[in-house]
Every structure is written in C-alpha cells, then in structure tokens.
Amino acid sequence: MRQALLVLGLICVATTTFAQTPTPVASTAQTEAAKVEPVVTPAATTQSEPGVPTRTRALVGIALKNTLTPGDRVGNSIKPSFIWKWRSKTADTRDRFAFAYGLNSYGTEFSTPFGSQDLPTGDLRLRPVMVGADYKMPRGKWQYSVGLQAGWAINSIEDTDFYRNLVRDATGNDDLYVDARNSFVWAPKAKASYDINRRFMLQFDGAYFVANPELIRRIGGVESRSSIKADALIVKAGILFGIF
C-alpha cells in the first residue's frame, strides 16, 4: 500500500514539473526569417530589347556631275562621276558644326591666244585636296549642311594635238611646253542627303570652287606666264549603296 502511494506521488510531482516548464520562444530574427518568403529569380531574358537603329558606314555610288566654268576661254561639261561617303553607324540628330574634308577633281577645256585668235589648247585638270567645317542640320531622313573648305589643288594639262600641230606649222619647230602650276583653292559648299533605308542614300550637293592657277607656256624657247580663271560651279546628284 505504501509503495502504491509512493509511486502515485512521484507521478503527480513529475506531471506538475512538466506543466510548469516554459516553452522555448523563437528569437525575433528567427521569426522574421520565417516570414520571409523565398525569392524566386526569374529566368534570364533571351530576347534583347530593340536598340538604336544602325546604318552602314561606308557607301559608294554614282552621280551625274555638271561642271560650269564661268571664266573666259574655258568650257563646261556633264559626265557621270564616282562618289563615296563615310558616316557614323548611328544618326546624330543635333544641329552642329563638324570637321569636313574633300578630295575633289574637275577639269575644263581652255584656250590661249595665238596670233589674233584664241585656240583650243588642252584640258586643265584640277585635283583639290581640302579641309574645312560644315554646319549640319538633320531633319528626319533628310540631312542638310553648308560649309566652307580650302586647300591646295594639284594641277596638270593635257595639250591637244590640234594645238601642237598648229604651233609647229606656224613656228617651224616642235619646242612646245604648256603646264599649270599647283595653286590655292577654296570653295563654299551646300549638301542635302536622304536616307532611303540603312543601305541606300540619295545625295545632292553643290560647290563653287575658286582657283586661279598660273599657266606656263613655252614656244620656240620663249616662255610666257599668265593666270587662268579656273573657277567652277559643280552640281552633283546621285545614289549611294552601303557596302559595310
């Protein structure tokens, strides 16, 4: 009997002690961590967003070139011409000044006095190498610019057989020399271009070249020098194709 009461007392004591034992409380950090939902990282996007449209940089093409020479004893010409252009890959829509350069070439037939008349002497070829500045004005697909360039013209002359034969018959000798010295040249310019698409472009430009090279002429050992007005208004219209 005593043993039964002792066992019953131990059971009561153990139950009371277990009921009074405090339940462990989770820390604040653990609680906040439990509230944080797992972050799901989205899969990387494989399709890139469309960017600024790019254009071909190097363009080549052909144009119709009209050369008008207002000077005395010079002639005009209309002929096809090779044209090229280098531009940035993306269009700049700001009105701005920009560095400009030009590698030009034009020719004109000219005459010189011989006796009492002017005779066709040859073809004067000018190859100006110029630098300057342009003011560019983009307007949508159109781009306009005006500018001024100056430089040095490398000049040469091809004399005609008619002139050589006439001088030989008149003077009785073959001592004939005609040449033009290299000269300073400058030109105001205007240009307009239209982007058909990223590869094709229409281009229209005009320039007035001012050049007065010195003409050297020697006949029978007698040399004479004079300047020739080789100004030229050149107007071109053409189409260009982007190659890369």
Side-chain angles (χ1 to χ4, degrees), residues 124-143:
L124 172 62
R125 176 64 55 181
L126 298 93
R127 299 176 178 85
V129 180
M130 311 172 73
V131 294
D134 285 347
Y135 186 71
K136 297 186 175 183
M137 297 165 284
R139 298 293 184 271
K141 288 192 172 185
W142 283 96
Q143 179 168 282

mmCIF file of all heavy atoms in Angstrom, residues 124-143:
data_model
loop_
_atom_site.group_PDB
_atom_site.id
_atom_site.type_symbol
_atom_site.label_atom_id
_atom_site.label_comp_id
_atom_site.label_asym_id
_atom_site.label_seq_id
_atom_site.Cartn_x
_atom_site.Cartn_y
_atom_site.Cartn_z
ATOM 1 N N LEU A 124 42.576 71.347 -118.809
ATOM 2 C CA LEU A 124 43.141 71.680 -117.498
ATOM 3 C C LEU A 124 42.456 70.826 -116.446
ATOM 4 O O LEU A 124 41.237 70.857 -116.297
ATOM 5 C CB LEU A 124 42.937 73.158 -117.186
ATOM 6 C CG LEU A 124 43.302 73.617 -115.772
ATOM 7 C CD1 LEU A 124 44.790 73.401 -115.500
ATOM 8 C CD2 LEU A 124 42.916 75.080 -115.583
ATOM 9 N N ARG A 125 43.238 70.042 -115.709
ATOM 10 C CA ARG A 125 42.716 69.140 -114.683
ATOM 11 C C ARG A 125 43.167 69.636 -113.313
ATOM 12 O O ARG A 125 44.355 69.809 -113.066
ATOM 13 C CB ARG A 125 43.220 67.726 -114.924
ATOM 14 C CG ARG A 125 42.835 66.707 -113.882
ATOM 15 C CD ARG A 125 41.358 66.471 -113.806
ATOM 16 N NE ARG A 125 40.762 66.088 -115.080
ATOM 17 C CZ ARG A 125 39.464 65.851 -115.244
ATOM 18 N NH1 ARG A 125 38.641 65.957 -114.215
ATOM 19 N NH2 ARG A 125 39.001 65.516 -116.432
ATOM 20 N N LEU A 126 42.195 69.885 -112.423
ATOM 21 C CA LEU A 126 42.466 70.323 -111.055
ATOM 22 C C LEU A 126 42.020 69.237 -110.087
ATOM 23 O O LEU A 126 40.908 68.707 -110.213
ATOM 24 C CB LEU A 126 41.745 71.635 -110.735
ATOM 25 C CG LEU A 126 42.137 72.860 -111.567
ATOM 26 C CD1 LEU A 126 41.208 73.001 -112.765
ATOM 27 C CD2 LEU A 126 42.112 74.120 -110.725
ATOM 28 N N ARG A 127 42.864 68.946 -109.102
ATOM 29 C CA ARG A 127 42.556 67.928 -108.085
ATOM 30 C C ARG A 127 42.731 68.549 -106.701
ATOM 31 O O ARG A 127 43.763 68.371 -106.056
ATOM 32 C CB ARG A 127 43.449 66.699 -108.259
ATOM 33 C CG ARG A 127 43.276 66.004 -109.611
ATOM 34 C CD ARG A 127 44.247 64.852 -109.781
ATOM 35 N NE ARG A 127 44.049 64.152 -111.047
ATOM 36 C CZ ARG A 127 44.592 64.533 -112.195
ATOM 37 N NH1 ARG A 127 45.385 65.619 -112.239
ATOM 38 N NH2 ARG A 127 44.355 63.849 -113.293
ATOM 39 N N PRO A 128 41.726 69.280 -106.221
ATOM 40 C CA PRO A 128 41.843 69.938 -104.910
ATOM 41 C C PRO A 128 41.793 68.944 -103.746
ATOM 42 O O PRO A 128 40.998 68.011 -103.742
ATOM 43 C CB PRO A 128 40.630 70.875 -104.882
ATOM 44 C CG PRO A 128 40.170 70.987 -106.301
ATOM 45 C CD PRO A 128 40.516 69.678 -106.937
ATOM 46 N N VAL A 129 42.676 69.174 -102.776
ATOM 47 C CA VAL A 129 42.661 68.461 -101.501
ATOM 48 C C VAL A 129 42.356 69.509 -100.437
ATOM 49 O O VAL A 129 43.152 70.424 -100.221
ATOM 50 C CB VAL A 129 44.006 67.771 -101.223
ATOM 51 C CG1 VAL A 129 43.958 67.042 -99.877
ATOM 52 C CG2 VAL A 129 44.363 66.813 -102.354
ATOM 53 N N MET A 130 41.198 69.373 -99.773
ATOM 54 C CA MET A 130 40.684 70.472 -98.965
ATOM 55 C C MET A 130 40.222 70.009 -97.583
ATOM 56 O O MET A 130 39.830 68.848 -97.408
ATOM 57 C CB MET A 130 39.514 71.146 -99.699
ATOM 58 C CG MET A 130 39.801 71.493 -101.154
ATOM 59 S SD MET A 130 38.349 72.059 -102.059
ATOM 60 C CE MET A 130 38.151 73.680 -101.357
ATOM 61 N N VAL A 131 40.241 70.935 -96.637
ATOM 62 C CA VAL A 131 39.685 70.711 -95.299
ATOM 63 C C VAL A 131 38.896 71.957 -94.911
ATOM 64 O O VAL A 131 39.100 73.037 -95.456
ATOM 65 C CB VAL A 131 40.774 70.423 -94.246
ATOM 66 C CG1 VAL A 131 41.479 69.115 -94.534
ATOM 67 C CG2 VAL A 131 41.779 71.565 -94.186
ATOM 68 N N GLY A 132 37.986 71.782 -93.960
ATOM 69 C CA GLY A 132 37.175 72.911 -93.520
ATOM 70 C C GLY A 132 36.173 72.488 -92.473
ATOM 71 O O GLY A 132 36.411 71.558 -91.688
ATOM 72 N N ALA A 133 35.021 73.153 -92.466
ATOM 73 C CA ALA A 133 33.978 72.870 -91.474
ATOM 74 C C ALA A 133 32.613 72.937 -92.146
ATOM 75 O O ALA A 133 32.396 73.742 -93.064
ATOM 76 C CB ALA A 133 34.047 73.851 -90.319
ATOM 77 N N ASP A 134 31.705 72.080 -91.679
ATOM 78 C CA ASP A 134 30.318 72.063 -92.127
ATOM 79 C C ASP A 134 29.407 72.320 -90.936
ATOM 80 O O ASP A 134 29.723 71.936 -89.801
ATOM 81 C CB ASP A 134 29.939 70.714 -92.752
ATOM 82 C CG ASP A 134 30.512 70.530 -94.145
ATOM 83 O OD1 ASP A 134 30.982 71.527 -94.729
ATOM 84 O OD2 ASP A 134 30.498 69.387 -94.639
ATOM 85 N N TYR A 135 28.273 72.963 -91.218
ATOM 86 C CA TYR A 135 27.215 73.065 -90.209
ATOM 87 C C TYR A 135 26.091 72.134 -90.646
ATOM 88 O O TYR A 135 25.451 72.363 -91.677
ATOM 89 C CB TYR A 135 26.706 74.490 -90.055
ATOM 90 C CG TYR A 135 25.714 74.639 -88.929
ATOM 91 C CD1 TYR A 135 26.140 74.558 -87.603
ATOM 92 C CD2 TYR A 135 24.356 74.841 -89.183
ATOM 93 C CE1 TYR A 135 25.235 74.678 -86.558
ATOM 94 C CE2 TYR A 135 23.448 74.963 -88.142
ATOM 95 C CZ TYR A 135 23.898 74.878 -86.827
ATOM 96 O OH TYR A 135 23.011 74.989 -85.792
ATOM 97 N N LYS A 136 25.856 71.068 -89.864
ATOM 98 C CA LYS A 136 24.905 70.024 -90.247
ATOM 99 C C LYS A 136 23.562 70.248 -89.559
ATOM 100 O O LYS A 136 23.514 70.574 -88.370
ATOM 101 C CB LYS A 136 25.456 68.643 -89.887
ATOM 102 C CG LYS A 136 26.743 68.308 -90.634
ATOM 103 C CD LYS A 136 27.195 66.887 -90.363
ATOM 104 C CE LYS A 136 28.407 66.532 -91.199
ATOM 105 N NZ LYS A 136 28.836 65.133 -91.018
ATOM 106 N N MET A 137 22.482 70.005 -90.337
ATOM 107 C CA MET A 137 21.129 70.226 -89.838
ATOM 108 C C MET A 137 20.255 69.020 -90.188
ATOM 109 O O MET A 137 19.635 68.972 -91.267
ATOM 110 C CB MET A 137 20.552 71.505 -90.453
ATOM 111 C CG MET A 137 21.331 72.762 -90.074
ATOM 112 S SD MET A 137 20.918 74.189 -91.133
ATOM 113 C CE MET A 137 21.816 73.755 -92.627
ATOM 114 N N PRO A 138 20.207 67.984 -89.329
ATOM 115 C CA PRO A 138 19.365 66.811 -89.601
ATOM 116 C C PRO A 138 17.891 67.145 -89.423
ATOM 117 O O PRO A 138 17.508 67.812 -88.466
ATOM 118 C CB PRO A 138 19.830 65.788 -88.568
ATOM 119 C CG PRO A 138 21.057 66.366 -87.932
ATOM 120 C CD PRO A 138 20.988 67.835 -88.106
ATOM 121 N N ARG A 139 17.087 66.646 -90.356
ATOM 122 C CA ARG A 139 15.634 66.813 -90.278
ATOM 123 C C ARG A 139 14.974 65.501 -90.699
ATOM 124 O O ARG A 139 14.646 65.298 -91.858
ATOM 125 C CB ARG A 139 15.166 67.961 -91.188
ATOM 126 C CG ARG A 139 15.722 69.333 -90.833
ATOM 127 C CD ARG A 139 15.199 69.826 -89.494
ATOM 128 N NE ARG A 139 15.655 71.182 -89.190
ATOM 129 C CZ ARG A 139 16.783 71.474 -88.550
ATOM 130 N NH1 ARG A 139 17.574 70.480 -88.138
ATOM 131 N NH2 ARG A 139 17.122 72.717 -88.301
ATOM 132 N N GLY A 140 14.799 64.592 -89.742
ATOM 133 C CA GLY A 140 14.240 63.288 -90.052
ATOM 134 C C GLY A 140 15.191 62.498 -90.940
ATOM 135 O O GLY A 140 16.364 62.332 -90.630
ATOM 136 N N LYS A 141 14.672 61.999 -92.068
ATOM 137 C CA LYS A 141 15.519 61.262 -93.003
ATOM 138 C C LYS A 141 16.376 62.177 -93.869
ATOM 139 O O LYS A 141 17.281 61.700 -94.562
ATOM 140 C CB LYS A 141 14.665 60.355 -93.892
ATOM 141 C CG LYS A 141 14.077 59.150 -93.165
ATOM 142 C CD LYS A 141 13.488 58.152 -94.141
ATOM 143 C CE LYS A 141 13.075 56.873 -93.451
ATOM 144 N NZ LYS A 141 12.612 55.847 -94.421
ATOM 145 N N TRP A 142 16.097 63.461 -93.835
ATOM 146 C CA TRP A 142 16.895 64.431 -94.585
ATOM 147 C C TRP A 142 18.003 64.979 -93.695
ATOM 148 O O TRP A 142 17.835 65.135 -92.489
ATOM 149 C CB TRP A 142 16.028 65.581 -95.077
ATOM 150 C CG TRP A 142 15.184 65.263 -96.264
ATOM 151 C CD1 TRP A 142 13.875 64.879 -96.271
ATOM 152 C CD2 TRP A 142 15.586 65.309 -97.635
ATOM 153 N NE1 TRP A 142 13.430 64.675 -97.544
ATOM 154 C CE2 TRP A 142 14.463 64.941 -98.415
ATOM 155 C CE3 TRP A 142 16.788 65.619 -98.287
ATOM 156 C CZ2 TRP A 142 14.499 64.877 -99.799
ATOM 157 C CZ3 TRP A 142 16.824 65.560 -99.671
ATOM 158 C CH2 TRP A 142 15.696 65.193 -100.416
ATOM 159 N N GLN A 143 19.132 65.274 -94.307
ATOM 160 C CA GLN A 143 20.210 65.970 -93.609
ATOM 161 C C GLN A 143 20.775 67.043 -94.538
ATOM 162 O O GLN A 143 21.184 66.755 -95.660
ATOM 163 C CB GLN A 143 21.327 65.020 -93.181
ATOM 164 C CG GLN A 143 22.473 65.760 -92.480
ATOM 165 C CD GLN A 143 23.438 64.825 -91.801
ATOM 166 O OE1 GLN A 143 23.172 64.320 -90.726
ATOM 167 N NE2 GLN A 143 24.564 64.596 -92.437
#
